[in-house]
Amino acid sequence: MTTANLMPAWGVDHLPTLLAHCRQCGTYTFPSNAWGCRQCGADTLAKVPMPQTPVLRNFITLHGDVVPGLTPPVVVGEVEIAPGVVEEALIAVADESQLTLDMPMEAIGADPADTQRGLRFRPLEAQR
Amino acid sequence: MSRLLQERAVHVVGIGMHPYQFPSETPYVHLGLTAIREALKDAGLQWPQVQAAFVGTAAIGMAAGRVMLRHLGSTGLSVTQVENASASGSSAFRLACQAVASGEHEIVLTVGVDKTGHARRASGSDGLSTLSPTSNLPVAKFALLARRYLRDGGLDVEALARVAVKNHGNASLNPYAQFRKPRTLEQVLASPKVAGELTVQQCCPRGEGAAAVIVASAAAIARLGLARSRSPRVIASVSTSEKLGRGDVPPIVDMVRESSLAALEQAGIAASDLNMVELHDAFSIEEIVYGEAIGVSQPGEGAHDLARGDTAIGGRCAVNASGGLIGMGHPIGPTGIGQIAEITRQMRSEATGRQHPNTRLAMAHMIGLGSVAIAHVLQKTD
């Protein structure tokens, strides 16, 4: 599994401000630079970190060569990063056998040096 | 729209198609004009009688309508181009129905035409980044949905593959379909995996083509002596978009449920009254979950109904008798209008080789990226 030139915006240094929290209705929105609250539309948003340990809600393996720069097989998951906010994310495991539903996850950089500037998720250290 | 459609009947009086096909050098103008000329001939109308045209296309570019339509004669009619992703054609059809139902026009053309490969998605230009490069990739989204459905229902991969077997079989009987070969369960399962449990033969192909439908008021049908019995009536038209998710129900499934429910209410019928549904099966899982959302199947029963033949031609409610997006193809702009053409053909008992008996009430349902949903209900006219 390799990645190149993928999604440079979100790196580990953005984790403290990954989400937006609406001061009006309390809904979380991803990403934090969204143009308004996805629930009420207010633009009074505060940038906040993930308010919970991310949780893996679903996952598959991408077998086909369908994203330029993303070499299959790649594991893709649905990760709950805040209450009601479930986002697709790349899962940094060799194969699905290392995953179970509802397992806690942690966000890491795209590579150890985070030079690719992308976030991935992997099972929390204690779970691996 | 419900009041308008009740007060002023809108009928489909003409249908025409250019077969869906793999990408080629054929100019889009040829594709579109082939469908339009066939629709005009089918209706028994001349081009100058058409007062407005709505052109559904997602990939051709600005002002595709007049560039194409001028070859039929420069009559000065109203021309509007409509882009709504996969629902472009359905949205164009809805606007054509509104134009007649409102009384502004009596005879309106809606044509979908597209070439593959030139469409750009707005999601790449919103100034925001996603967590994953797959976030806007439909095949990943629907593979995740499929995994969830199979897991929750305790089903195996054959449940999904049967959708493709049915729809490739239906398409093999449709002269306008992109794929014309029946596929066995073994072939579908053995085709290369794309994402999760979805194999290539469970995914719609890229392609091009055209579909045209002419709608007219009841007054125009009477005045011009058109064949009323060959002209199904549009009794519901609904357009919605996605809301935030609630609980475990994926927002897109909720959207399909709400839009189809609204269309059924507008039509004054129940889902169990539908004899036929054409829906967005770009990936096999969609047919099963949308069939349940529309009410063709009870929740959790979609795969079982499919296996029993309830959704086959000749079954309780034929789903995608045309071959659907998987078999007939999904050239984007034409797709939703092709659904209306198929339903019309079935209601006229002119679907040679794939005729579903006694089709009196049918729904055409499309979704588009984003997501949006468009639902229409048609009723056979005696």
Side-chain angles (χ1 to χ4, degrees):
Chain A
M1 186 159 64
T2 60
T3 57
N5 302 319
L6 295 175
M7 306 306 303
W10 300 110
V12 287
D13 52 338
H14 288 103
L15 285 173
T17 56
L18 193 65
L19 286 129
H21 188 244
C22 180
R23 293 191 176 99
Q24 196 155 298
C25 73
T27 298
Y28 287 96
T29 295
F30 173 83
S32 56
N33 59 338
W35 304 102
C37 171
R38 65 197 179 105
Q39 176 68 266
C40 71
D43 59 1
T44 51
L45 302 174
K47 293 184 178 184
V48 296
M50 286 185 284
Q52 64 180 56
T53 300
V55 180
L56 184 65
R57 297 301 188 194
N58 195 7
F59 54 88
I60 56 153
T61 299
L62 202 60
H63 304 280
D65 192 4
V66 290
V67 180
L70 191 64
T71 305
V74 179
V75 178
V76 176
E78 289 176 316
V79 181
E80 184 174 336
I81 57 176
V85 181
V86 178
E87 289 290 318
E88 260 180 51
L90 298 179
I91 308 299
V93 292
D95 60 65
E96 291 182 20
S97 66
Q98 299 171 47
L99 302 175
T100 56
L101 284 182
D102 302 329
M103 71 190 309
M105 308 292 282
E106 63 181 337
I108 59 171
D111 61 27
D114 198 28
T115 55
Q116 296 294 336
R117 304 285 299 169
L119 284 179
R120 291 169 175 233
F121 288 78
R122 68 180 178 191
L124 257 183
E125 185 67 34
Q127 304 291 318
R128 288 185 284 146
Chain B
M1 184 81 160
S2 58
R3 184 179 54 79
L4 285 176
L5 285 173
Q6 287 165 5
E7 290 178 357
R8 189 174 164 89
V10 177
H11 294 262
V12 175
V13 298
I15 57 174
M17 304 279 299
H18 185 289
Y20 298 168
Q21 61 191 23
F22 287 96
S24 74
E25 296 300 315
T26 310
Y28 89 87
V29 173
H30 172 76
L31 302 175
L33 291 178
T34 300
I36 296 167
R37 286 184 166 125
E38 191 172 289
L40 287 167
K41 184 179 176 187
D42 178 62
L45 290 168
Q46 301 298 314
W47 176 242
Q49 294 173 291
V50 177
Q51 299 158 318
F54 292 91
V55 182
T57 185
I60 289 175
M62 288 193 290
R66 168 67 182 152
V67 170
M68 170 174 62
L69 298 174
R70 65 193 171 102
H71 299 285
L72 293 164
S74 298
T75 64
L77 82 169
S78 164
V79 177
T80 306
Q81 186 159 321
V82 182
E83 188 277 305
N84 212 4
S86 291
S88 296
S90 305
S91 300
F93 177 73
R94 176 173 155 80
L95 291 171
C97 292
Q98 284 177 331
V100 172
S102 69
E104 184 178 10
H105 297 297
E106 285 201 308
I107 299 172
V108 177
L109 165 75
T110 177
V111 56
V113 60
D114 247 325
K115 301 282 289 182
T116 191
H118 301 293
R120 293 177 60 206
R121 295 180 183 179
S123 59
S125 307
D126 65 357
L128 305 176
S129 292
T130 58
L131 271 186
S132 170
T134 64
S135 292
N136 295 312
L137 191 68
V139 70
K141 177 178 183 171
F142 290 111
L144 285 159
L145 183 63
R147 174 68 61 87
R148 184 185 299 273
Y149 185 86
L150 295 179
R151 185 174 59 230
D152 290 350
L155 300 166
D156 59 27
V157 293
E158 293 185 359
L160 294 177
R162 287 193 188 94
V163 174
V165 173
K166 173 177 69 67
N167 291 352
H168 279 289
N170 292 350
S172 73
L173 304 168
N174 183 350
Y176 297 104
Q178 187 166 339
F179 285 126
R180 303 294 310 282
K181 288 182 183 174
R183 305 287 186 183
T184 65
L185 193 61
E186 293 71 25
Q187 287 173 321
V188 172
L189 290 170
S191 63
K193 276 190 172 182
V194 182
E197 281 72 32
L198 297 177
T199 61
V200 165
Q201 290 182 8
Q202 295 175 57
C203 306
C204 68
R206 289 158 57 91
E208 61 184 30
V213 163
I214 300 171
V215 292
S217 65
I221 289 175
R223 180 168 48 82
L224 298 169
L226 305 181
R228 190 173 182 280
S229 63
R230 295 181 75 244
S231 306
R233 181 175 174 182
V234 183
I235 58 173
S237 177
V238 167
S239 173
T240 67
S241 64
E242 198 171 290
K243 298 177 184 173
L244 289 187
R246 56 175 179 91
D248 281 344
V249 182
I252 197 166
V253 177
D254 244 354
M255 178 184 72
V256 173
R257 185 181 60 80
E258 289 189 10
S259 56
S260 54
L261 256 179
L264 291 169
E265 283 178 16
Q266 199 176 108
I269 63 171
S272 56
D273 294 325
L274 292 170
N275 310 115
M276 179 181 169
V277 172
E278 290 282 308
L279 56 74
H280 184 282
D281 62 324
F283 304 97
S284 55
I285 182 62
E286 291 184 273
E287 178 170 308
I288 296 175
V289 297
Y290 298 164
E292 292 179 9
I294 290 169
V296 170
S297 297
Q298 293 300 308
E301 291 297 314
H304 302 300
D305 288 354
L306 171 66
R308 277 194 299 266
D310 287 356
T311 55
I313 292 171
R316 172 169 51 81
C317 177
V319 178
N320 288 326
S322 65
L325 280 61
I326 287 176
M328 185 174 180
H330 182 28
I332 311 292
T335 309
I337 298 173
Q339 290 180 329
I340 302 296
E342 174 68 14
I343 287 170
T344 300
R345 209 179 301 280
Q346 292 279 352
M347 287 184 171
R348 293 171 172 178
S349 297
E350 294 174 356
T352 307
R354 63 179 193 290
Q355 182 63 48
H356 182 60
N358 304 317
T359 305
R360 299 195 62 80
L361 288 162
M363 178 181 286
H365 194 285
M366 278 296 283
I367 64 159
L369 279 173
S371 301
V372 299
I374 312 290
H376 288 96
V377 178
L378 276 72
Q379 182 177 38
K380 179 180 168 63
T381 306
D382 294 316

